[in-house]
Structures are given as structure tokens and as C-alpha cells.
């Protein structure tokens, strides 16, 4: 079983709609969860971090964490063509260790 | 926000030569730096973790004698790919973490070995 799993996509969403990205992880003691956006040929950039159960909103982005079900999701409201990218879920699986484990990423395409 | 500078952005080298990649945290002290490699259409694969002043911890399958990592200060870490071969061609990315500071990625280095 992979430690951090994401649907590789591609996920196509009409412009203006809500894009929903999901991620599951294997280790119940995971503490820190991150969503990164990566454009082709570029390095990842941090969008959201979340540490507690529930929702965290930042502009058009909302991260949702459910530790009991071991999943974390990212919602993008009012999707824009510029949101087209690969979204990487990253989890700190080792308590007390700063190492992040990345999912394989979901490729998102916003259709104008 | 936190900035991590990575150089060079692109490098082409001949097979058998060595290449050094630098990663600097510009506005915070990076107690830990991570080095990743990413092949086309694949996710980031952690190569090694380095703490300032300590030897790097390499992930399974990564040759420590081939990928030399130095983290001599709280703002600088280097990765040297020694005796590079075409199969080492990849996108190398560093990431820095500090106390109270979220992980920040450098801009990446595209290495092509010919």
C-alpha cells in the first residue's frame, strides 16, 4: 500500500466550477498535511497547510482534514485556467521527523 | 515569505563529470534541507535529508558516494552529482525547513548529462 495516494487524473473542471482534489494517507499518527501546486517544469509551491481536523480556508482554496478517515482534500472555488497544474499532497508521516512524503499528484485542467 | 534560492537552474554536462547544485535559504535559518529528484511525469522522490553540521541521511537506494550532500551552514546546502551519467538526468529540487517555518522549495535544477 502506498503511503500517500492521490488520483493521478487528469481531472477536468469547467472554469468557474469547484475543483475537488483528494488524498489518503496510511499512517494514523501523521501530524502535518500540505498541498502544493506544481506547474510543468517548475518546482512545487505551497498552497495550504493543515494540522487539525476540519476545514481551513484561504481565498479560493479550502483544505479539509479528516484524521479518523485518513484523508485530506483541497477544494478550489471559482476555478481559473491559471489553476491548471499538478497538485501534490504531502504528509509528514513520521512524528518528530520533518520528512515529507508526497503523493504522485493529480493533474488538474480547467476548461475555459 | 520565505525564499529558497537554487542554482543553477539548468546545467548540461558531459558524462563522467561532476556537477554541484547550491541551495540557499535567503531569509530564514534552514535547520533541515531536503533534496528531491523528479523524473518526467513522476512525483518528487526524496533523495536525502541533511541537518546543519551533520552527515546527510540518504533514502534507500540512493548512493551516498554518488550524490554528495554538504550542509555546512544554516543557509547553504549543496548537492554534488559525481561522475554523472545520462540516467542521472533529472529535475533536482531542494527544500528547506526551519523552526516555525513551513517547507519551502527552491526553483529546481534541470540536469542533462550528455
Amino acid at each position: 500500500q502506498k503511503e500517500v495516494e492521490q488520483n493521478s487524473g487528469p481531472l477536468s473542471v469547467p472554469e468557474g466550477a469547484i475543483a475537488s482534489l483528494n488524498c489518503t494517507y496510511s499512517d494514523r499518527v501523521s501530524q502535518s498535511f500540505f498541498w502544493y501546486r506544481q506547474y510543468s517544469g517548475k518546482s512545487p509551491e505551497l498552497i495550504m497547510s493543515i494540522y487539525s481536523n476540519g476545514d481551513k480556508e484561504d481565498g479560493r482554496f479550502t483544505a479539509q482534514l479528516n484524521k479518523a478517515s485518513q484523508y485530506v482534500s483541497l477544494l478550489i472555488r471559482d476555478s481559473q485556467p491559471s489553476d491548471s497544474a499538478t497538485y501534490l499532497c504531502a504528509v509528514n508521516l513520521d512524528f518528530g521527523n520533518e520528512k515529507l512524503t508526497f503523493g504522485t499528484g493529480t493533474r488538474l485542467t480547467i476548461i475555459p | 515569505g520565505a525564499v529558497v534560492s537554487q542554482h543553477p537552474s539548468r546545467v548540461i554536462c558531459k558524462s563522467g563529470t561532476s556537477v554541484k547544485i547550491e541551495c540557499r535559504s535567503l531569509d530564514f535559518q534552514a535547520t533541515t534541507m531536503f533534496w528531491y529528484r523528479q523524473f518526467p511525469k513522476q512525483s518528487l522522490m526524496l533523495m536525502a535529508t541533511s541537518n546543519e553540521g551533520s552527515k546527510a541521511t540518504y533514502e534507500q537506494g540512493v548512493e551516498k558516494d554518488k550524490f554528495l550532500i554538504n550542509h555546512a551552514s544554516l543557509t547553504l546546502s549543496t548537492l554534488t552529482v559525481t561522475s554523472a551519467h545520462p540516467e542521472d538526468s533529472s529535475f533536482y529540487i531542494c527544500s528547506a525547513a526551519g523552526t516555525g517555518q513551513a517547507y519551502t522549495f527552491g526553483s529546481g535544477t534541470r540536469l542533462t548529462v550528455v
Side-chain angles (χ1 to χ4, degrees):
Chain A
Q1 181 185 2
K2 292 183 180 178
E3 294 178 306
V4 179
E5 291 199 53
Q6 293 181 256
N7 187 324
S8 62
L11 175 65
S12 296
V13 174
E15 183 175 357
I18 296 175
S20 178
L21 304 163
N22 298 311
C23 172
T24 58
Y25 58 94
S26 61
D27 196 334
R28 284 191 169 272
V29 300
S30 301
Q31 300 294 312
S32 309
F33 308 85
F34 305 86
W35 282 100
Y36 287 86
R37 177 175 62 197
Q38 185 176 26
Y39 292 113
S40 180
K42 303 294 184 182
S43 68
E45 54 181 323
L46 180 67
I47 297 176
M48 297 278 288
S49 59
I50 187 167
Y51 306 96
S52 306
N53 277 326
D55 295 0
K56 179 180 178 183
E57 187 175 319
D58 184 0
R60 294 187 297 113
F61 300 97
T62 299
Q64 300 174 317
L65 175 61
N66 184 323
K67 289 188 178 182
S69 300
Q70 295 175 234
Y71 83 77
V72 56
S73 62
L74 178 70
L75 300 177
I76 307 175
R77 290 182 299 280
D78 189 22
S79 298
Q80 304 296 310
S82 59
D83 295 327
S84 298
T86 296
Y87 289 80
L88 300 167
C89 171
V91 179
N92 182 329
L93 291 176
D94 298 327
F95 186 70
N97 185 322
E98 293 173 312
K99 184 171 71 173
L100 288 183
T101 300
F102 284 84
T104 52
T106 298
R107 188 156 55 92
L108 173 66
T109 300
I110 305 302
I111 304 170
Chain B
V3 177
V4 174
S5 175
Q6 184 173 345
H7 294 281
S9 57
R10 290 179 180 273
V11 59
I12 301 173
C13 71
K14 291 184 177 180
S15 186
T17 62
S18 295
V19 173
K20 179 184 282 189
I21 302 170
E22 287 192 353
C23 182
R24 293 179 184 271
S25 58
L26 299 185
D27 49 5
F28 68 99
Q29 293 185 327
T31 51
T32 306
M33 286 209 182
F34 305 90
W35 287 95
Y36 295 87
R37 180 167 54 183
Q38 187 178 36
F39 292 107
K41 299 190 185 300
Q42 295 187 23
S43 190
L44 283 76
M45 296 302 296
L46 180 65
M47 299 174 67
T49 303
S50 72
N51 293 294
E52 184 262 340
S54 304
K55 288 185 178 180
T57 301
Y58 290 81
E59 295 299 302
Q60 190 173 6
V62 178
E63 300 175 57
K64 62 180 182 180
D65 294 330
K66 180 171 182 62
F67 299 99
L68 302 179
I69 292 173
N70 184 285
H71 192 168
S73 77
L74 284 171
T75 59
L76 174 64
S77 178
T78 61
L79 166 67
T80 301
V81 182
T82 62
S83 186
H85 292 285
E87 58 266 29
D88 298 322
S89 298
S90 187
F91 191 45
Y92 291 86
I93 313 172
C94 69
S95 174
T99 302
Q101 184 66 55
Y103 307 81
T104 303
F105 282 91
S107 55
T109 298
R110 177 77 58 191
L111 170 64
T112 303
V113 184
V114 297

